[in-house]
Amino acid sequence: MMKMGENAATKTLPQQHHQVFDITIDVPKGGSKCFDDDGRLKRTGTVWTASAHIITAVIGSGVLSLAWAIAQLGWIAGPAVMFLFSFVIYYTSSLLSDCYRSGDPDSGKRNYTYMEAVQSNLGGFKVKICGLIQYLNLFGVAIGYTIAASISMKAIKRSDCFHENKRKSPCLMSSNPYMIMFGIVEILFSQIPDFDQIWWLSIVAAVMSFTYSTIGLGLGIAQVVETGKFMGSLTGISIGAVTETQKIWRSFQALGDIAFAYSYSIILIEIQDTIKSPPSEAKTMKKATFLSVAVTTLFYMLCGCMGYAAFGDAAPGNLLTGFGFYNPYWLLDIANAAIVIHLVGAYQVYCQPLFAFIEKWAVNKWPQSEFITKDIKVPTIPGFKPFNLNLFRLVWRTLFVIATTVVSMLLPFFNDIVGILGAFGFWPLTVYFPIEMYVAQKQIPKWSSRWICLQVLSFACLIISIAAASGSIAGVVLDLKVYRPFKTTY
């Protein structure tokens, strides 16, 4: 695609960044300060806003299960696996960032979504497979975040109950009311029309993620100082405490938990589409990816390792809600409140690409329907622009949030669901498609040394994903043997 200064042809401008309603404008030959080379409104994202989006997406509920994951693997394999995942995520994300534009890295055709990048570079049946996996994974992440938020809200109530009763009462309660509360909040926030309009929510969520991660780290350090020793062993939970079969399944599930904690590739292209240029979006995204993965890995190593050091093989599945810590109860309340606020934002960061995809499909399918295409101006606070309410967006996004809430109430197994999501999305979306697109775009010769290395990396990650999925599914099967939907209190 030619730059604006070189092409006076009429451009197509969506009213909103990922929006699907098109109008046309005439772009002056001299270019425009308001529009990018594709005729869309100037992107304003920087390395910092992109990093905020990534950190919001990455440092989420996954950090809470890392102490448990390391407890299954031990002091040697646990940190080693975390470093391995961080390297793979950074490397494949760098490859993926080069696929945002097709052709010239500075002026080539933009791919606005992950699926468009697959379409441009691979095409064919792989596009449908990619879309199915990506959007199912986004739906699953929404379920995982609903479960995690409800657990944290319930933990606040239980923490206060333990404090009032001096831990003499088990303080049993259901997660269901809290899932419903979280769902109502997400229905409201899901009406934010587009991805680039939630940048403020991402920054708030990123601050919250650092808040509760730091509290978890601090409590772990305090526990180690109090006991005067590092708990845990080189190989993790021992056979005897669990059976040999359980040890294998738990180790596999730990791989899935760590994969989930690092996964964000499914929304990388959408984040990159918010970045201004020059310099090229790929250069900025690589810097944001490096910064984000470095910060994330540091936090993960500290939180996971200090949690394991504090509790050893008894590390809870959720560090701040498993009640390894009871005091100071007010600090736990702050940490869990920060988790909930963070997950409100993270839910939107992950779901906005899915929302945009469905709404674009609906407009293409029924372009004459006012229910789908018409915006209603709703007055807001005096001095602010009116809010554009779209009835289709209101109805479909509300139904989506209700669906994720109901499924969460049916399957409230945090660790197992997290492991399945990590395993299901890690290999195809984080490794396979980025490598295949990069090979196609750079025309890397088949059977060359670089091609072989990339394929070996892909195959190794496939094996890890299969192992992680099997362990997490085994965990869900065990949970379902004793679980009764809508009735469990714990």
Side-chain angles (χ1 to χ4, degrees), residues 274-296:
T274 67
I275 295 174
K276 65 182 179 182
S277 62
S280 73
E281 299 85 358
K283 288 182 179 178
T284 302
M285 197 64 192
K286 287 175 182 178
K287 290 180 181 178
T289 296
F290 178 79
L291 176 63
S292 303
V293 171
V295 170
T296 299

Side-chain angles (χ1 to χ4, degrees), residues 123-322:
F125 187 65
K126 290 181 179 180
V127 179
K128 294 181 179 179
I129 295 296
C130 170
L132 179 64
I133 295 173
Q134 182 186 12
Y135 295 124
L136 278 176
N137 196 262
L138 291 174
F139 181 75
V141 167
I143 293 169
Y145 282 178
T146 302
I147 295 170
S150 71
I151 290 173
S152 288
M153 286 188 279
K154 188 176 70 173
I156 294 173
K157 185 71 174 176
R158 290 188 71 194
S159 175
D160 294 344
C161 176
F162 283 138
H163 178 71
E164 291 171 2
N165 295 285
K166 302 186 186 303
R167 282 188 255 167
K168 294 178 181 178
S169 168
C171 297
L172 299 177
M173 60 190 69
S174 172
S175 297
N176 294 338
Y178 301 102
M179 291 186 186
I180 294 171
M181 290 168 58
F182 183 77
I184 291 171
V185 172
E186 289 303 342
I187 287 174
L188 296 175
F189 276 101
S190 68
Q191 297 310 309
I192 298 174
D194 199 11
F195 197 94
D196 63 348
Q197 295 179 32
I198 63 171
W199 61 268
W200 60 273
L201 191 58
S202 281
I203 291 175
V204 170
V207 171
M208 292 298 104
S209 68
F210 281 116
T211 299
Y212 67 73
S213 297
T214 302
I215 290 173
L217 172 62
L219 290 172
I221 292 173
Q223 181 85 356
V224 170
V225 171
E226 183 179 339
T227 59
K229 61 179 179 179
F230 275 72
M231 304 283 282
S233 62
L234 295 180
T235 57
I237 191 167
S238 59
I239 296 173
V242 295
T243 66
E244 188 172 344
T245 302
Q246 286 177 322
K247 170 71 173 178
I248 294 172
W249 289 134
R250 284 183 169 213
S251 297
F252 287 167
Q253 185 183 332
L255 296 177
D257 284 6
I258 295 173
F260 176 80
Y262 273 107
S263 181
Y264 75 95
S265 296
I266 52 178
I267 56 169
L268 184 143
I269 294 291
E270 283 81 356
I271 293 174
Q272 193 166 344
D273 193 40
T274 67
I275 295 174
K276 65 182 179 182
S277 62
S280 73
E281 299 85 358
K283 288 182 179 178
T284 302
M285 197 64 192
K286 287 175 182 178
K287 290 180 181 178
T289 296
F290 178 79
L291 176 63
S292 303
V293 171
V295 170
T296 299
T297 301
L298 176 62
F299 260 75
Y300 281 4
M301 291 297 294
L302 289 172
C303 292
C305 292
M306 291 310 300
Y308 183 43
F311 299 108
D313 294 346
N318 188 317
L319 188 60
L320 291 173
T321 62

Side-chain angles (χ1 to χ4, degrees), residues 367-411:
Q368 304 303 320
S369 172
E370 288 193 358
F371 173 73
I372 294 174
T373 60
K374 186 178 180 180
D375 280 350
I376 301 171
K377 301 288 184 181
V378 178
T380 58
I381 302 172
F384 288 84
K385 294 180 180 179
F387 179 77
N388 289 327
L389 177 66
N390 178 274
L391 291 178
F392 175 70
R393 183 172 68 230
L394 175 65
V395 172
W396 120 255
R397 293 189 183 190
T398 299
L399 291 175
F400 173 87
V401 175
I402 291 173
T404 60
T405 304
V406 171
V407 174
S408 300
M409 292 165 70
L410 287 169
L411 297 170

Side-chain angles (χ1 to χ4, degrees), residues 60-72 144 147-148 151-152 237 250 253-254 256-258 260-261 303-304 307-308 311-325 336 339 412-419 479 490:
S61 55
V63 70
L64 304 174
S65 64
L66 290 178
W68 180 89
I70 293 179
Q72 312 314 307
I147 295 170
I151 290 173
S152 288
I237 191 167
R250 284 183 169 213
Q253 185 183 332
D257 284 6
I258 295 173
F260 176 80
C303 292
Y308 183 43
F311 299 108
D313 294 346
N318 188 317
L319 188 60
L320 291 173
T321 62
F323 291 98
F325 302 113
N336 281 298
I339 292 171
F413 315 127
F414 177 72
N415 271 65
D416 297 327
I417 296 298
V418 161
D479 288 334
Y490 50 91

Side-chain angles (χ1 to χ4, degrees), residues 116-129:
E116 284 187 31
V118 176
Q119 176 72 62
S120 297
N121 291 284
L122 301 176
F125 187 65
K126 290 181 179 180
V127 179
K128 294 181 179 179
I129 295 296

